[in-house]
Amino acid sequence: VQLQASGGGLVQAGGSLRLSCAASGRTRSSNVMGWFRQAPGKEREFVAAISWIGSTNYANSVKGRFTISQDNVKNTVYLQMNSLKPEDTAVYYCAASPSPWTTNRSVDYIYWGQGTLVTVSS
């Protein structure tokens, strides 16, 4: 499975961005798609995940502000980010997992995209 993330950029606090992750290859082997992020000097952290049937899971820090969705025909997963805060600044990675549930553990994800930078200015 190959993953291509896009949509990052510079936005002011309170603004919105939508990230996209296009998957190709043996996508049927990846039941769950997730988004993680890594800020400078910090560990990678879970953001959101969605299963093939549409179950979702969110980190507490983004609940109510971020929405994960998917287009199974296009094999693309989206992360709509609203009410962005400076602390959301990070490189965002999409990842794919064969897990049967919307896991938040990075070790469960075996395919990773290259990352896209999101910068939120105050």
Side-chain angles (χ1 to χ4, degrees):
V1 177
Q2 293 79 45
L3 303 174
Q4 181 71 40
S6 62
L10 174 64
V11 63
Q12 288 188 332
S16 300
L17 278 176
R18 188 178 81 156
L19 305 183
S20 300
C21 177
S24 60
R26 295 183 61 185
T27 56
R28 287 287 183 175
S29 66
S30 299
N31 180 58
V32 173
M33 297 293 294
W35 286 97
F36 289 77
R37 66 187 182 186
Q38 187 166 19
K42 295 187 177 181
E43 294 187 353
R44 188 172 299 185
E45 65 175 1
F46 170 76
V47 176
I50 188 167
S51 71
W52 183 257
I53 61 171
S55 299
T56 59
N57 186 15
Y58 294 94
N60 287 334
S61 59
V62 306
K63 278 182 181 177
R65 300 189 298 123
F66 291 10
T67 302
I68 190 170
S69 62
Q70 62 190 353
D71 184 329
N72 289 339
V73 174
K74 296 181 178 179
N75 287 330
T76 300
V77 175
Y78 304 97
L79 185 68
Q80 178 66 43
M81 305 185 294
N82 298 328
S83 301
L84 282 162
K85 305 175 181 179
E87 51 263 43
D88 294 318
T89 294
V91 177
Y92 284 70
Y93 299 90
C94 62
S97 170
S99 173
W101 56 79
T102 51
T103 177
N104 61 3
R105 304 192 318 160
S106 61
V107 294
D108 292 332
Y109 291 80
I110 57 177
Y111 303 105
W112 291 83
Q114 83 289 3
T116 184
L117 177 62
V118 172
T119 303
V120 184
S121 63
S122 58

